[in-house]
Amino acid sequence: MFYTCGFCRSPPVMISGGRVFVVPCVQKIQWISLNTLTLNVKSDKVYTRHGVPISVTGIAQVKIQGQNKQMLAAACQMFMGKSDREIAQIALETLEGHQRAIIAHLTVEEIYKDRKKFSEQVFKVASSDLVNMGISVVSYTLKDVHDDQDYLHSLGKARTAQVQKDARIGEAMNKRDAVIREAHALQEKISAQYMNEIEMAKAQRDYELKKASYDVEVNTKKAESEMAYQLQVAKTKQCIEEERMQVQVVERSQQITLQEQEITRKEKDRWPRRPKLFSSTKRVPWWTCYWRNCRW
């Protein structure tokens, strides 16, 4: 970015990423870089809230804000004529101071366990301070935390031991749960098997009952059909017998009639006829006729 001042340039003109015409010996031009600067923010042996000295290293990305005219004017007033190294050093010292202040208000455990929260605090505090210089903090990340008293190592051992303990407890609980689940599964399997057998027995019982009921119904229908058949046979035999009796009666009647006719014929043949002595026109008393026809 160019910053021009001098004759006919009041107030000075700020041009970001462009060109400007300058009158030699009358006007002066100065420039300031708008590139992003990477800062390695180190804080060695800073005492935390519990008095444990630790060293913290963070990585920050900063740049002079060229889009905001107020921040650009503040940056020009603060850093005009300075090199990128000098600007970076000023921003680094500001960030390192805020980083130390935040470390002093936290414990080692809070910094070590919640790095994101620590980074957000440094980013927020440093941004509010550097914005007055026209510098914006693009990003800040906690890179490393270590100490010379093996506090973190001991903390790590304790954490490791706790993790191992939790792992052993978890493994034992998992085995216990596995045994319990296996026992439950076996119990459910046996219960399911018994229930299946009970259901099969019930189904068999229902089948037998229904089959017996059907058999009774079938046998009843069969017996009724057999009785109806026998009754019909008996009725048919009775009808046939009645017809036969009627035929016999008729035949007997005919035989009697024939016998009577035969007797009549024989009677007639027994008494021979006599010739008529008198004319048929003359009536003869019956005793005369009988007397005459008798055989002596």
Side-chain angles (χ1 to χ4, degrees), residues 7 12 24 27 50 125 140 154 157 174 189 196 254 264 276:
F7 182 72
Q27 296 175 336
H50 290 165
V125 174
Y140 173 85
S154 300
K157 283 185 177 181
N174 289 333
K189 179 181 178 182
N196 188 22
Q254 291 177 355
T264 303
K276 295 181 179 180

Side-chain angles (χ1 to χ4, degrees), residues 25 38 55 95 118 127 141 180 186 202 216 223 227 231 247:
C25 300
T38 301
S55 299
L95 281 168
F118 176 79
S127 296
T141 304
I180 294 173
L186 181 60
K202 288 182 179 179
V216 170
M227 292 178 63
L231 180 61
V247 170

